[in-house]
């Protein structure tokens, strides 16, 4: 595991709808610094972005991989989920609008959850956001701490009501 230190200010911005894609998206911004304080500036940095259920089973609802050229970026990055620039790699079949809908239940393959296969929503539920990254010098993805997605992306839910 590469000792990369993440120094970032997180910004979640909901875009309803994305101008060029006609679909909802979530923008995630930050800065990655190495342990020596220098920015991560790889030419081929991959980001794995996941949205998981907030319950203990942490079922994978959405996963997307995006690649950025971060040369001369000062370690700064900005990624928008569901804008067409990444590759969706999960098999849930749920769209981003449905993922943030706190109505009904979701069913997943057992391999996509740490336990169980069903997630029953509650009106106050958020979601969990997991991000990992690797550049061309790293052999595996480096995980960042999991984050709670609470109210801003739930504006996606509001547009459905």
């Amino acid at each position: 595991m590469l000792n990369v230190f993440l120094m970032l200010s997180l910004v979640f911005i909901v875009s309803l709808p994305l101008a060029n894609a006609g679909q909802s998206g979530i923008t995630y911004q930050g800065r990655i610094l190495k342990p020596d304080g220098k920015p991560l500036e790889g030419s081929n940095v991959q980001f794995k972005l996941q949205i998981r259920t907030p319950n203990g089973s942490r079922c994978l609802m959405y996963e997307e991989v995006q690649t950025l050229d971060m040369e001369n970026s000062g370690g700064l990055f900005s990624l928008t989920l569901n804008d067409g620039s990444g590759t969706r790699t999960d098999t849930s079949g749920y769209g981003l609008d449905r993922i943030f809908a706190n109505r009904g239940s979701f069913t997943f393959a057992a391999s996509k959850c740490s336990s169980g296969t069903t997630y029953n929503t509650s009106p106050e539920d958020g979601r969990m956001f997991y991000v990992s990254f690797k550049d061309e010098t790293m052999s595996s993805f480096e995980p960042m701490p999991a984050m709670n997605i609470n109210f801003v992306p739930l504006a996606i839910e509001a547009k459905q009501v």
Side-chain angles (χ1 to χ4, degrees):
M1 177 162 76
L2 179 69
N3 289 325
V4 176
F5 176 70
L6 175 70
M7 175 81 129
L8 72 148
S9 59
L10 300 175
V11 178
F12 281 107
I13 302 169
V14 176
S15 178
L16 303 171
L18 291 169
N20 62 345
Q23 54 196 356
S24 300
I26 300 172
T27 299
Y28 174 69
Q29 301 171 335
R31 184 174 190 208
I32 302 173
L33 299 177
K34 297 178 187 178
D36 63 4
K38 294 181 182 173
L40 179 73
E41 294 188 314
S43 63
N44 186 28
V45 181
Q46 292 181 317
F47 289 85
K48 186 185 300 183
L49 310 157
Q50 297 181 335
I51 299 173
R52 292 184 173 266
T53 60
N55 62 353
S57 60
R58 300 286 188 251
C59 297
L60 180 63
M61 302 181 88
Y62 184 96
E63 181 177 78
E64 183 175 311
V65 176
Q66 292 191 24
T67 303
L68 291 179
D69 179 352
M70 291 182 57
E71 287 184 303
N72 301 314
S73 68
L76 297 170
F77 65 88
S78 180
L79 306 162
T80 300
L81 276 76
N82 201 43
D83 71 352
S85 64
T87 301
R88 188 157 178 190
T89 54
D90 69 280
T91 57
S92 77
Y94 297 117
L96 205 59
D97 288 355
R98 174 68 177 111
I99 287 168
F100 285 104
N102 278 340
R103 294 182 307 273
S105 61
F106 294 83
T107 302
F108 302 94
S111 63
K112 302 300 179 185
C113 302
S114 58
S115 65
T117 59
T118 303
Y119 163 54
N120 296 307
T121 63
S122 294
E124 66 278 355
D125 284 354
R127 301 295 183 267
M128 296 299 298
F129 188 57
Y130 291 79
V131 178
S132 55
F133 65 93
K134 71 176 185 172
D135 70 8
E136 56 274 11
T137 66
M138 300 165 67
S139 61
S140 62
F141 280 93
E142 178 78 18
M144 298 182 200
M147 295 164 272
N148 290 315
I149 300 177
N150 290 320
F151 302 107
V152 174
L154 292 181
I156 294 171
E157 165 74 350
K159 84 171 193 173
Q160 300 176 53
V161 190

